Amino acid sequence: MKFGPVPVTDAQSTVLAHAVKLSVGRLPKGHVVSASDIAALQAGGFAEVIVARLEPGDLLEDEAASRIAAVIDRDHLTFSPAATGRINIHSAVDGLFVASRSLVDRLNRVDPAITLACLADHVPVRSGDMVATIKIIPLAVAGRHVEEAAALLRAEHAFSVKPFAARRVGLIATLLPSLKLSVMDKTRQNLEARLRLSSSVLVEEQRVPHTAEAVAAEISRGTQRFEMIIVFGASAVADADDVIPAAIRLAGGIVDHVGMPVDPGNLLVLGRVGGIPVIGAPGCARSPKENGFDWVLNRILASEWPTVDDITGLGVGGLLMEIPTRPLPRALAGSGLKDVSVTVVLLAAGRASRMGESGKHKLLAEFEGVPLVRRSAQTALGASVQRVFAVTGHRQMEIRAALAGLDVVAVENADYATGMASSLIAGVNAAGDADGVLVMLADMPWVSAEDLAALISAFKAEKGLTIVRAVSAGKRGNPVILPRSTFEAIRQLQGDVGARQIIETCGLPVVDVDIGPAAHLDLDTPEAIIAAGGILKG
């Protein structure tokens, strides 16, 4: 591929490197120039254009991305259509994302034009979460490099999603006078929450004396009733012959490993009796925060059995105390927060792709004579917030014109075509030192200032240390307030994803505020806008 300016008269069959605006319509980036396009360019006064000229064997960006994606195993994955050289890959199930770093690295070293980015190895995902993206960086790439990349993916799996298998789980908890019953109750609740992602069920809890004999008796009984047994000891495991590992052996089982290089989570015991996994949970697993117990539990729920090499190989990345996806509420609690500040980030950069071929922009549709994006901004201004930032991208000049005169700061997202993550990052970066950002979709006309005030009040009541989410009848919706401790994790997002995975894995409490049906009504199609009483404009 040769890149550079050419006279318009020589541009036929080349690929535009940049969008060109004409007096009537426009030619998008990546467009293959035709004879009629040349006439239109000349009529528009263009003498030259910057293009890519394909050489024999070159493939356009979308074709190259599609050929690479075509060889990836489709099991439990869905693929977006190719657009601007990108194909996003999502999980079709709740499960565990597993990746081969060595293979992904090899593919990314075939040619700088071909890239594959994915989640970290062994990360739990929800159905619908984006797990990987293929991106061809230039407008075209040599076909031989595409075939080399495809050959790597044919030979072995770069990544996959292993679906979680629902299990019937038994809990054994040991008793000592020093352990409060309220702590044991909370332990059960947190375990039930951990099992929910896999649709597993905690069938029964038995509380027994802190002796190997008592625990062994319950393990033996549990192997007849459960598909997994989890033991929480009232005292931490201090030795490979301590109560929990000794109980597994007394019950006729095998102890595979005691301890792991993950902190928190060092004091985990992994064993089995027959085919039933028995996990001695570390004390940190009484908390909802991410720890080594989660890593082992999720592997087993995805039908993996962690080997000794697997467990002892978790040291790199095993320091979980201060990673971005696991904020520390206790550290924040000591920061002396007084007036908790909240900034609104109004997401108004999207391409409105579901509006069809009419070219109408949903955010310019009018409700009671007011463009939808302006109506949403006015709602935000009606709440007690520090500032309102509107993230713009697609048709941003018209969106900004609709916001004219309001005390709203427009933030340009030049990467809006890559999806929602880039808009979230732009908003968080603009928010500066705010204690929380209220992320508001600009296409939700029935969210009121009172609704936003209720969310903000709940956030301030928790001293800015929780996530606050709008719900309707218990079903999660929007808007959502994200505390400052999640900002760094947001900055790591990629593609067309929101903050849901961060909300579900960061370990922070989530406070739900019911605002009624407004939490779910967003307008994505002309029909939805008209049904809601809007008038299509722009």
Side-chain angles (χ1 to χ4, degrees):
M1 180 187 74
K2 295 181 179 179
F3 182 90
V6 299
V8 167
T9 52
D10 297 336
Q12 186 166 344
S13 300
T14 63
V15 183
L16 286 178
H18 307 288
V20 176
K21 188 173 182 179
L22 302 172
S23 56
V24 179
R26 64 193 291 273
L27 301 177
K29 173 186 174 183
H31 178 74
V32 178
V33 179
S34 67
S36 62
D37 294 331
I38 291 176
L41 288 164
Q42 289 175 320
F46 290 90
E48 68 176 22
V49 286
I50 299 176
V51 299
R53 289 169 288 176
L54 271 61
E55 298 178 293
D58 283 352
L59 297 174
L60 290 174
E61 54 183 353
D62 285 354
E63 174 64 18
S66 297
R67 291 197 185 188
I68 293 170
V71 302
I72 298 174
D73 193 330
R74 255 55 181 171
D75 281 356
H76 313 305
L77 298 171
T78 61
F79 293 71
S80 71
T84 64
R86 182 183 299 278
I87 292 179
N88 293 329
I89 304 169
H90 297 78
S91 176
V93 297
D94 295 341
L96 194 64
F97 178 77
V98 179
S100 167
R101 184 187 184 99
S102 63
L103 181 57
V104 173
D105 287 348
R106 276 184 282 150
L107 184 142
N108 284 321
R109 289 165 185 155
V110 168
D111 186 87
I114 299 171
T115 67
L116 169 62
C118 67
L119 298 178
D121 184 32
H122 282 90
V123 171
V125 295
R126 293 271 193 185
S127 177
D129 286 350
M130 192 168 90
V131 298
T133 186
I134 297 166
K135 172 62 177 172
I136 307 301
I137 294 175
L139 295 167
V141 62
R144 68 182 184 277
H145 294 318
V146 172
E147 180 51 40
E148 184 179 349
L152 288 173
L153 297 177
R154 285 191 199 97
E156 56 182 295
H157 291 302
F159 55 82
S160 62
V161 176
K162 297 184 176 182
F164 285 130
R167 301 205 182 210
R168 291 168 49 83
V169 179
L171 168 61
I172 301 171
T174 70
L175 297 163
L176 285 174
S178 58
L179 185 63
K180 295 180 179 179
L181 293 181
S182 60
V183 172
M184 301 179 76
D185 293 339
K186 190 66 175 177
T187 298
R188 177 188 175 119
Q189 294 168 13
N190 287 331
L191 178 57
E192 288 174 329
R194 283 185 162 93
L195 296 173
R196 206 168 291 136
L197 179 59
S198 64
S199 298
S200 295
V201 177
L202 181 57
V203 177
E204 179 183 286
E205 177 186 8
Q206 289 295 324
R207 299 179 179 182
V208 301
H210 188 69
T211 66
E213 292 75 16
V215 175
E218 281 303 322
I219 290 175
S220 297
R221 190 176 74 89
T223 57
Q224 309 303 313
R225 306 182 60 211
F226 310 126
E227 297 162 295
M228 179 187 294
I229 298 171
I230 296 171
V231 185
F232 274 89
S235 178
V237 173
D239 185 83
D241 291 319
D242 209 337
V243 168
I244 294 175
I248 294 172
R249 296 188 190 98
L250 279 175
I254 296 170
V255 176
D256 290 83
H257 202 69
V258 177
M260 62 189 303
V262 180
D263 191 356
N266 293 139
L267 304 179
L268 181 138
V269 178
L270 179 62
R272 51 208 154 97
V273 178
I276 306 299
V278 181
I279 306 175
C284 58
R286 297 186 186 277
S287 162
K289 300 173 190 174
E290 182 184 4
N291 60 79
F293 174 70
D294 294 289
W295 291 13
V296 171
L297 177 67
N298 287 333
R299 289 191 185 215
I300 294 174
L301 291 173
S303 302
E304 282 192 6
W305 185 259
T307 66
V308 172
D309 285 348
D310 289 333
I311 293 174
T312 56
L314 294 174
V316 175
L319 181 60
L320 300 181
M321 296 301 292
E322 295 183 9
I323 63 172
T325 52
R326 176 153 179 268
L328 288 178
R330 283 177 295 179
L332 288 175
S335 63
L337 287 174
K338 295 180 181 177
D339 295 328
V340 177
S341 60
V342 178
T343 290
V344 170
V345 171
L346 184 66
L347 300 184
R351 291 179 290 182
S353 58
R354 294 178 60 190
M355 289 296 290
E357 299 178 358
S358 68
K360 303 293 186 183
H361 196 311
K362 63 181 179 180
L363 298 185
L364 300 177
E366 292 187 357
F367 289 78
E368 300 173 344
V370 179
L372 178 55
V373 66
R374 186 179 184 89
R375 178 189 177 104
S376 298
Q378 289 171 331
T379 297
L381 291 168
S384 299
V385 296
Q386 186 180 41
R387 300 192 75 174
V388 177
F389 293 96
V391 182
T392 62
H394 179 59
R395 296 175 63 176
Q396 69 167 322
M397 297 309 295
E398 296 160 274
I399 297 296
R400 292 188 179 207
L403 296 171
L406 297 179
D407 187 17
V408 173
V409 179
V411 177
E412 179 182 2
N413 174 17
D415 295 326
Y416 69 89
T418 63
M420 184 182 290
S422 60
S423 290
L424 280 171
I425 293 167
V428 163
N429 288 342
D433 61 356
D435 297 315
V437 292
L438 188 155
V439 180
M440 181 178 177
L441 306 182
D443 62 352
M444 301 184 73
W446 308 129
V447 172
S448 68
E450 291 74 19
D451 294 332
L452 300 186
L455 294 169
I456 293 166
S457 177
F459 185 70
K460 290 184 175 182
E462 297 293 333
K463 299 183 173 60
L465 305 180
T466 65
I467 293 164
V468 176
R469 177 175 59 193
V471 300
S472 178
K475 183 178 179 183
R476 64 190 175 205
N478 284 294
V480 62
I481 302 180
L482 301 169
R484 184 173 180 80
S485 57
T486 65
F487 289 3
E488 189 56 40
I490 291 170
R491 294 185 179 103
Q492 309 307 314
L493 294 173
Q494 295 182 355
D496 193 23
V497 298
R500 188 174 75 174
Q501 183 176 347
I502 294 172
I503 292 170
E504 294 176 351
T505 63
C506 69
L508 290 176
V510 178
V511 174
D512 288 336
V513 177
D514 197 317
I515 66 170
H520 296 152
L521 180 64
D522 57 345
L523 305 181
D524 288 330
T525 65
E527 295 79 10
I529 289 171
I530 293 169
I535 299 174
L536 295 173
K537 298 277 187 175

